[in-house]
């Protein structure tokens, strides 16, 4: 196997990151997990694409600040949004458009330091009790502990499809790209271009799939201390407030939906919208398997309590 100079430098950065990780804050399980991750870096390097090129949208044009009483700010002529949270309130913003299918990219830099109890979100959602929703949620941590990326898919108001992952980098140091591909075939979650999860359309097997409700892009920073960190055992340290997360380089290749004219996309031809028919290929499947083998920390399909109650139908298809 041959590696490029870029890959070799990348490996060095991985080893440096983990060798300097403050293991005093990590339990034995986490230490073992990190050591295993280091041993698998060489195997995984050829699987991961680390750079995602996006054409940035403008937050002034594409989004509205929805709450936070001044804690959400659009800066740099619409190129950057910061969300902050203190004990009084968090903050959030929402897309002006609704979408019915699309590829959505957003770069985030998460709350640094002791972010325990905080939840930074980036997700798609319709409205109402029977809403559809596709979630990225980033669960804050004690200083030195890794962030958890919490993913979920709601269909017709039903959730409970959680998968959680550690990241293979520090998401507070720089911006990283988090993407959602949503088309009639599947929903795919990406981190820096690497697919970490796929939720396939298995309606033929009796599994509901979000395809009829238009959704908006929503991002928030809020206090989730009752469950965010170690199941709520670690509370928010308000002496560290205000907490701040940053968002940039938003890009949507998507079907804009309006109640009057319907979809902006032509479903008869995908020539100019390849994402509309995109599926995971063999390389993508290998990437997902690598990430899930090394970084997944929770999967609803292997939860023993849920297995006793009967696995969801989609879990039986693997």
């Amino acid at each position: 196997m041959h590696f490029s100079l870029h890959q070799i430098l990348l490996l060095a950065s991985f080893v440096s990151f983990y060798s300097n990780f403050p293991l005093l804050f990590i339990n034995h399980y986490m230490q073992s997990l990190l050591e295993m991750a280091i041993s698998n870096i060489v195997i995984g390097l050829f699987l991961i694409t680390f750079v995602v090129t996006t054409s940035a949208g403008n937050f002034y044009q594409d989004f509205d600040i929805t709450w936070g009483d001044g804690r959400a700010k659009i800066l740099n002529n619409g190129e950057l949004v910061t969300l902050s949270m203190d004990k009084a309130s968090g903050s959030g913003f929402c897309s002006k458009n609704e979408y019915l299918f699309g590829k959505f990219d957003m770069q985030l830099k998460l709350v640094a330091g002791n972010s325990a109890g905080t939840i930074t979100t980036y997700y798609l959602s319709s409205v109402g009790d029977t809403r559809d929703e596709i979630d990225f949620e980033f669960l804050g941590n004690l200083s030195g502990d890794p962030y958890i990326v919490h993913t979920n898919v709601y269909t017709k108001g039903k959730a409970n499809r959680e998968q959680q992952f550690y990241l293979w980098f520090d998401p507070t140091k720089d911006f990283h790209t988090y993407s959602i591909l949503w088309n009639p075939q599947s929903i795919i979650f990406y981190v820096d271009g690497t697919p970490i999860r796929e939720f396939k359309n298995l309606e033929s097997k009796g599994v509901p799939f979000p395809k009829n409700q238009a959704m908006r892009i929503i991002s928030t920073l809020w206090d989730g201390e009752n469950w965010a960190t170690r199941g709520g055992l670690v509370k928010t340290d308000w002496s560290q407030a205000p907490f701040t997360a940053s968002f940039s380089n938003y890009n949507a290749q998507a079907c804009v939906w309006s109640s009057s004219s319907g979809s902006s996309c032509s479903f008869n031809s995908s020539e100019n919208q390849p994402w509309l028919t995109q599926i995971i290929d063999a390389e993508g499947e290998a990437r997902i398997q690598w990430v899930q083998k090394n970084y997944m920390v929770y999967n609803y399909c292997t939860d023993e309590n849920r297995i006793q109650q009967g696995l969801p139908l989609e879990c039986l298809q693997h």
Side-chain angles (χ1 to χ4, degrees), residues 3-30:
F3 295 99
S4 67
L5 176 61
H6 172 72
Q7 289 174 318
I8 293 170
L9 292 174
L10 200 53
L11 174 59
S13 68
F14 264 108
V15 174
S16 175
F17 174 82
Y18 283 116
S19 65
N20 288 286
F21 214 98
L23 294 178
L24 290 176
F25 294 95
I26 303 175
N27 60 29
H28 177 74
Y29 171 76
M30 266 303 302

Side-chain angles (χ1 to χ4, degrees), residues 67-109:
W67 63 288
D69 194 24
R71 293 172 178 82
K73 301 181 187 300
I74 301 178
L75 304 169
N76 298 354
N77 297 316
E79 296 180 355
L80 177 71
V81 172
T82 60
L83 297 181
S84 66
M85 182 184 76
D86 53 36
K87 197 166 187 177
S89 178
S91 53
F93 61 92
C94 178
S95 67
K96 295 179 179 179
N97 287 327
E98 291 182 288
Y99 303 95
L100 191 60
F101 304 124
K103 172 77 183 310
F104 307 91
D105 305 312
M106 185 82 78
Q107 290 194 339
L108 280 72
K109 184 161 68 171

Side-chain angles (χ1 to χ4, degrees), residues 274-294:
W275 55 266
L276 195 54
T277 56
Q278 183 177 337
I279 60 173
I280 287 285
D281 58 14
E283 181 184 358
E285 290 283 2
R287 293 181 182 183
I288 288 178
Q289 291 174 14
W290 184 83
V291 171
Q292 295 192 353
K293 175 184 176 182
N294 291 288

Side-chain angles (χ1 to χ4, degrees), residues 98-153:
E98 291 182 288
Y99 303 95
L100 191 60
F101 304 124
K103 172 77 183 310
F104 307 91
D105 305 312
M106 185 82 78
Q107 290 194 339
L108 280 72
K109 184 161 68 171
L110 301 179
V111 177
N114 182 0
S115 59
T118 69
I119 299 179
T120 306
T121 71
Y122 159 54
Y123 64 103
L124 296 167
S125 183
S126 57
V127 296
D129 294 337
T130 58
R131 74 186 184 278
D132 292 337
E133 189 170 307
I134 305 169
D135 292 348
F136 266 118
E137 295 184 304
F138 304 90
L139 311 185
N141 60 355
L142 290 168
S143 296
D145 286 353
Y147 257 85
I148 288 178
V149 180
H150 176 99
T151 65
N152 205 351
V153 176

Side-chain angles (χ1 to χ4, degrees), residues 171-188:
T172 72
K173 297 296 185 183
D174 296 297
F175 284 93
H176 291 268
T177 303
Y178 305 89
S179 306
I180 296 169
L181 173 65
W182 169 40
N183 64 28
Q185 291 76 237
S186 65
I187 296 164
I188 306 171

Side-chain angles (χ1 to χ4, degrees), residues 128-233:
D129 294 337
T130 58
R131 74 186 184 278
D132 292 337
E133 189 170 307
I134 305 169
D135 292 348
F136 266 118
E137 295 184 304
F138 304 90
L139 311 185
N141 60 355
L142 290 168
S143 296
D145 286 353
Y147 257 85
I148 288 178
V149 180
H150 176 99
T151 65
N152 205 351
V153 176
Y154 287 65
T155 55
K156 299 179 180 179
K158 180 184 176 183
N160 298 325
R161 296 187 177 97
E162 304 94 340
Q163 289 184 356
Q164 296 181 339
F165 307 84
Y166 290 126
L167 292 169
W168 48 91
F169 52 82
D170 184 344
T172 72
K173 297 296 185 183
D174 296 297
F175 284 93
H176 291 268
T177 303
Y178 305 89
S179 306
I180 296 169
L181 173 65
W182 169 40
N183 64 28
Q185 291 76 237
S186 65
I187 296 164
I188 306 171
F189 297 80
Y190 295 86
V191 175
D192 283 341
T194 295
I196 64 170
R197 175 182 183 179
E198 179 182 27
F199 183 82
K200 295 180 179 179
N201 184 339
L202 296 173
E203 287 184 303
S204 62
K205 306 293 185 181
V207 180
F209 185 84
K211 67 174 188 179
N212 297 316
Q213 299 187 58
M215 296 193 266
R216 296 184 190 272
I217 303 166
I218 302 171
S219 285
T220 61
L221 175 59
W222 56 284
D223 176 26
E225 69 173 6
N226 289 332
W227 71 278
T229 307
R230 298 183 184 175
L233 294 177

